Amino acid sequence: VQLQASGGGLVQAGGSLRLSCAASGRRFSGGAVGWFRQAPGKERAFVAAIRWSGGSTSYEDSLKGRFTISRDTAKSTVYLQMNSLKPEDTAVYYCAASDRSSRIITSALWTAATYDSWGQGTQVTVSS
């Protein structure tokens, strides 16, 4: 599946953005979709993930309460709503999809190697 991430931009601290990850080529059918981010000089880090079947979610602990991942099955799109943004949220945000047909354990959702397809990334910049 090909992924198209969008919705990034420049926002002031305290503001909100909603990122979208749309599937093309074929629809999401199973597995999970995750968001990762990579700040300058840092490694790519897990943000949130959602299992396509059932919609259960997992978040990086420090982001719980500010970020919300959701899906629209009809549009084969996953969203990341980001509220109360902080300058340290500045990063390139990537969405990724796993096609595994079996249930993915939670700890595997946090791992980049679980995912088969990656979008191109969208830049989020939060100014202070």
Side-chain angles (χ1 to χ4, degrees):
V1 62
Q2 293 178 324
L3 305 177
Q4 181 69 42
S6 61
L10 174 63
V11 63
Q12 289 188 332
S16 298
L17 284 173
R18 189 178 79 158
L19 307 183
S20 299
C21 178
S24 63
R26 60 180 177 84
R27 302 175 62 82
F28 293 129
S29 60
V33 177
W35 286 97
F36 290 75
R37 66 185 182 182
Q38 187 166 17
K42 295 187 177 181
E43 294 187 353
R44 192 169 298 190
F46 172 74
V47 173
I50 186 166
R51 293 184 180 87
W52 196 252
S53 176
S56 59
T57 59
S58 180
Y59 295 91
E60 199 282 325
D61 282 346
S62 68
L63 301 177
K64 290 179 181 178
R66 292 198 299 125
F67 288 18
T68 302
I69 189 171
S70 62
R71 76 196 195 296
D72 184 326
T73 55
K75 296 181 178 180
S76 205
T77 299
V78 171
Y79 303 100
L80 184 68
Q81 178 68 43
M82 305 185 295
N83 299 327
S84 302
L85 283 163
K86 305 175 181 179
E88 52 262 42
D89 294 318
T90 295
V92 177
Y93 284 70
Y94 298 90
C95 63
S98 169
D99 290 333
R100 294 187 189 184
S101 57
S102 59
R103 180 178 173 84
I104 301 171
I105 62 173
T106 300
S107 60
L109 292 174
W110 309 335
T111 305
T114 295
Y115 299 88
D116 310 294
S117 304
W118 290 79
Q120 83 286 4
T122 185
Q123 176 70 48
V124 171
T125 303
V126 184
S127 62
S128 57

